[in-house]
């Protein structure tokens, strides 16, 4: 069984650019959640996708957007990058949105905005 | 909104000793889940232990156990017989049992060092 994978591992962008991060969910999982983890902080919820639809969103501006594909992999897009967007971006997959479904995390993408 | 607070930014313990990490949370809900996650230097977040709020019995997973005090909104993690591989960032997290998105609300983390 393949776990959650993310690409790329590291990324360096400049302010104002756009970035796309990718996440492949664990086999059999139809739900993907994205989190932003600033240095020295706990992860913060960005949004969740369930069966290709956005299923909830945290306190992030509209320039953070996402997609989920029929195979349940997902993308996180960030437009007009700001310095404060520098962080580790984590995705987590689960087999549903019930509170009993464990979320399995990927290794993350480290984004640096210069 | 729910909040999770970890008041110990760093903790250290001698190998084979016992250590307790603290966590408090704030919520008006009665049904929810609490978690402890471990994030080693390789970065991948791993679930250590989970507690359902409706269960009075404290969860236990091998050397890891929790002390869940619902009225006090406290959820501490005890690690017995600490091992070098336990060194990591530990995050306490809350998740509502209701609502559309089962988002996790994390604390700021405690960095645990194991001294040989």
């Amino acid at each position: 069984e393949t776990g959650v994978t993310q690409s790329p591992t590291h990324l360096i962008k400049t302010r104002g650019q756009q970035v796309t991060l990718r996440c492949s969910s664990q086999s059999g999982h139809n739900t993907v959640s994205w989190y932003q983890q600033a240095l020295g902080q706990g992860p913060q919820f960005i949004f969740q996708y369930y069966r290709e639809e956005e299923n909830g969103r945290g306190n992030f501006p509209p320039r953070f957007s996402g997609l989920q594909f029929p195979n349940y992999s997902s993308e996180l897009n960030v437009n007009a990058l700001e310095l404060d967007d520098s962080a580790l971006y984590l995705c987590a997959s689960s087999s549903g949105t019930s509170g009993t479904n464990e979320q399995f995390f990927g290794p993350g993408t480290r984004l640096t905005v210069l | 909104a729910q909040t999770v607070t970890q008041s110990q930014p760093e903790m250290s313990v001698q190998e084979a000793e016992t250590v307790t990490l603290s966590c408090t949370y704030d919520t008006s809900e009665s049904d929810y889940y609490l978690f402890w996650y471990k994030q080693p230097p390789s970065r991948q977040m791993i679930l250590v232990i989970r507690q359902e709020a409706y269960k009075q019995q404290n969860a236990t997973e091998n050397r890891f156990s929790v002390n869940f005090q619902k009225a006090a909104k406290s959820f501490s993690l005890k690690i017995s017989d600490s091992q070098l591989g336990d060194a990591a960032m530990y995050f306490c997290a809350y998740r509502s049992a209701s609502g559309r998105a089962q988002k996790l609300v994390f604390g700021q983390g405690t960095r645990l060092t194991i001294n040989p």
Side-chain angles (χ1 to χ4, degrees), chain B:
Chain B
Q2 297 85 19
T3 59
V4 176
T5 302
Q6 294 178 248
S7 59
Q8 306 155 315
E10 296 184 358
M11 292 282 284
S12 64
V13 65
Q14 291 295 125
E15 193 176 2
E17 296 293 308
T18 295
V19 64
T20 299
L21 308 184
S22 301
C23 172
T24 59
Y25 59 95
D26 189 28
T27 184
S28 59
E29 299 178 326
S30 59
D31 198 11
Y32 49 86
Y33 302 88
L34 295 167
F35 306 84
W36 279 98
Y37 280 89
K38 171 184 178 182
Q39 189 177 41
S42 65
R43 303 178 305 183
Q44 195 141 8
M45 197 86 72
I46 304 165
L47 178 64
V48 174
I49 199 165
R50 175 173 112 167
Q51 175 79 43
E52 289 87 350
Y54 64 85
K55 290 186 178 178
Q56 292 187 342
Q57 186 172 8
N58 290 322
T60 299
E61 289 286 343
N62 300 316
R63 298 182 295 106
F64 299 87
S65 62
V66 298
N67 183 3
F68 173 48
Q69 301 289 329
K70 191 172 185 179
K73 297 180 182 175
S74 169
F75 182 61
S76 61
L77 173 70
K78 185 172 81 172
I79 305 174
S80 304
D81 185 25
S82 298
Q83 301 176 359
L84 294 178
D86 295 334
M89 283 292 290
Y90 285 82
F91 292 96
C92 177
Y94 171 103
R95 189 168 79 193
S96 172
S98 61
R100 277 178 69 204
Q102 295 303 315
K103 69 175 185 179
L104 290 163
V105 178
F106 286 89
Q108 292 192 313
T110 297
R111 182 177 302 281
L112 179 63
T113 301
I114 312 294
N115 301 311

Side-chain angles (χ1 to χ4, degrees), chain A residues 22-81:
Chain A
R22 295 177 176 83
C23 172
S24 291
S25 58
Q26 186 166 310
S27 176
H29 288 182
N30 57 16
T31 303
V32 173
S33 303
W34 285 92
Y35 294 84
Q36 180 195 65
Q37 186 178 13
L39 196 62
Q41 304 293 318
Q44 289 196 326
F45 176 74
I46 303 174
F47 43 55
Q48 182 181 83
Y49 278 83
Y50 171 63
R51 293 185 175 179
E52 302 179 58
E53 298 286 332
E54 186 178 290
N55 189 49
R57 189 179 184 91
N59 189 26
F60 280 81
R63 58 188 187 85
F64 285 78
S65 63
L67 281 174
Q68 188 177 33
F69 299 99
N71 66 355
Y72 302 128
S73 66
S74 177
E75 285 183 356
L76 164 65
N77 298 291
V78 186
N79 293 323
L81 283 167

Side-chain angles (χ1 to χ4, degrees), chain A residues 7-12 21 88 108-112, chain B residues 43:
Chain A
S7 62
T9 305
H10 296 90
L11 205 50
I12 299 174
L21 310 182
L88 180 67
T109 294
R110 171 72 65 188
L111 172 65
T112 301
Chain B
R43 303 178 305 183

